[in-house]
Every structure is written in C-alpha cells, then in structure tokens.
Amino acid sequence: MSSSPATRLPSAPASRVVRQLLPQTEAFGLSDVGLQRASNEDAYAIVPSIGFFAVADGVGGNAAGEVASRMAIDVVASTIEDAAATWPQGGGDALFVRALREANAAVRASASRDRARKGMGTTLTGLLVLEDRVVIAHVGDSRAYLLRERRLHQLTEDHTLVNAYVQAGVMTREAAAVSEVRNLLVRAVGLDEAIEVDTRLMGVEPGDVLLLASDGLHGVVDEHDIAATMLGTRDLTRAAARLVERANDAGGPDNVTVVLVRLG
C-alpha cells in the first residue's frame, strides 16, 4: 500500500494523524494505486492550520491527471491559507468557491503551456472545518459522506453524465451503476473556462465523522459496507486502511483515496 504526498510537503509521508486542528478533532488520509493502474492520479490534503481537507482524482494522459489533482489541491489550500486572516468568521463558502475557481484557472493555464497536458482536469471534493460547522465544496465525482448516529449520509451529488440522467428520471440508479459511461464527468476542475462549484454549509455534532473519497472507493464498495467498515473501529488509521483494503478486495480497478475527519 502506498500513500500520496501531503500538500506542499512532497517528501513527507502522506498518511498522518492530526489531533490538534480543533478541540477533540482528528483526521487521517490514505491513498493507494489500486491493483489495475500503473500510477496514482489521486491526491489529497490534510492541512490542520486552516482546517482544510480534500480529495482529488485527476484525469488526463501522460500522468497529466496526477499533475492536475496535485495542482488543484495546492492552489485551493494556498488560496484559503492566504485569506484565512481576513474571511468572515463563520463563513468560508464564498472563499471556497473562489479558491476552486483559481485552481481551475491554474490547471487550464498549465495545460495550455504543455501539449502533453492538454485536456487534463481533476475532481475535487473539499472540507473546510470552522468553529461549529463545516463547508463542503465539490466538483466532479469524488464524494463527501457523513457518518452520524451509525448512519452514513451522502453529502454530494456526482457530476457525471449518468447521474444527470438519473436526476432527470431517464435512467435508474441501478442502470447508472453498471453503465459503460458511468465515469464520464460533466464537471471537473480544469476542463472548462467557467466552473460551477457545489457548496454545502452544515452544522456539526460531537462524534460526527466525515469521509472524503475518490470513486476508487465508492465505485466498487457499496455504502452499507463503507458504513460497516467505519463503524467497525474508532481508530481512523485502521478505518482508512480497511476501506482501501475493501476496494482492493473488490478488484482494485482504480486508484483509491480516503480522508477521514472526526469532529469533537
């Protein structure tokens, strides 16, 4: 099992526990190449100083997806960090959208300068922890989940063609799950000049656990098994490792990345 590099610390181990972000809050992240891919184009961030967590899943040939996912996460983290002293207390959603727009511009600019990176892009699902609430910002089909009172709730909607069909009522969720185009994105960071970002501001309760995951997890492990795995241990390190193992036990068709955050 291998780990992706931590945000702006490429030489540091990616898997690490953060226990002093906010009182009684901890987080753990883990990324694995899976069993059928030659390289890992996922990236993730755990930045305790600003309460920022994210998962990104890159797309594009010649390792361009790896570039896009890491670049997007770094730009978002840097933008939030630079503005952290000035954005309104209790806010953050507008800042999150601006940060993703800056990431979108950065990825597109990089692609325009290098023909090998043409068409690269990335999903990005991020979490900003505030004093008594969290902001979720989301583009693509990486997901955010909330585990509360032993129930798992999906907090984001996939920006995929098949999910658009499901929302329109022309395809069932069962058909979407096995469709040959189920991974075709209709939104991603870097693909279009203008980017539409979904945001969600929500209150938190002691004991809440938030999961950010690339589709290498939720695309092969059903939500019942994800919830059971998370409920099987309070240790976030073990829970993350077991989630990755579940994905690989199911064939490991894609890179798989998870970030777990427990709020006190």
Side-chain angles (χ1 to χ4, degrees):
M1 187 176 295
S2 62
S3 301
S4 64
T7 299
R8 291 182 290 171
L9 293 172
S11 61
S15 300
R16 55 189 181 132
V17 176
V18 177
R19 300 189 184 276
Q20 293 183 335
L21 169 65
L22 291 173
Q24 301 179 17
T25 300
E26 58 181 315
F28 186 81
L30 188 63
S31 187
D32 187 77
V33 69
L35 303 180
Q36 300 182 30
R37 296 294 179 91
S39 61
N40 192 346
E41 295 192 334
D42 286 1
Y44 74 88
I46 294 177
V47 188
S49 60
I50 55 175
F52 172 64
F53 308 88
V55 165
D57 179 358
V59 295
N62 299 316
E66 181 178 352
V67 173
S69 61
R70 177 48 50 192
M71 180 181 297
I73 277 185
D74 285 347
V75 170
V76 171
S78 178
T79 301
I80 293 173
E81 185 172 24
D82 290 345
T86 59
W87 50 275
Q89 185 174 6
D93 49 341
L95 171 61
F96 224 156
V97 171
R98 176 164 67 86
L100 273 158
R101 287 175 177 164
E102 292 191 13
N104 187 67
V107 171
R108 287 178 59 81
S110 178
S112 70
R113 293 191 298 266
D114 187 341
R115 293 180 61 185
R117 297 178 180 178
K118 184 178 179 180
M120 75 176 181
T122 184
T123 72
L124 195 150
T125 299
L127 173 70
L128 189 59
V129 179
L130 308 175
E131 289 185 350
D132 60 348
R133 62 190 65 193
V134 298
V135 180
I136 296 165
H138 167 62
V139 180
D141 66 349
S142 295
R143 290 182 183 175
Y145 292 92
L146 168 67
L147 183 69
R148 176 181 288 174
E149 296 180 352
R150 303 186 66 82
R151 293 186 61 187
L152 189 69
H153 308 271
Q154 183 178 330
L155 302 177
T156 55
E157 284 288 343
D158 296 346
H159 298 143
T160 57
L161 182 62
V162 295
N163 194 49
Y165 289 159
V166 170
Q167 297 299 315
V170 298
M171 179 180 282
T172 66
R173 291 194 178 276
E174 292 75 17
V178 296
S179 170
E180 292 183 356
V181 294
R182 62 185 177 276
N183 295 321
L184 184 61
L185 298 172
V186 295
R187 282 196 236 170
V189 178
L191 295 190
D192 297 306
E193 184 174 356
I195 183 173
E196 183 180 356
V197 181
D198 288 354
T199 61
R200 181 168 184 163
L201 182 65
M202 56 180 285
V204 295
E205 299 178 3
D208 282 352
V209 178
L210 289 134
L211 165 67
L212 308 177
S214 65
D215 67 342
L217 177 69
H218 66 76
V220 296
V221 182
D222 67 35
E223 292 185 3
H224 175 80
D225 286 343
I226 292 173
T229 301
M230 293 174 65
L231 289 168
T233 176
R234 280 189 52 84
D235 187 294
L236 298 187
T237 306
R238 293 180 180 177
R242 289 176 182 174
L243 287 171
V244 171
E245 289 171 1
R246 292 282 190 182
N248 285 334
D249 287 345
D254 200 355
N255 309 145
V256 54
T257 301
V258 300
V259 169
L260 292 167
V261 183
R262 179 182 290 118
L263 304 175

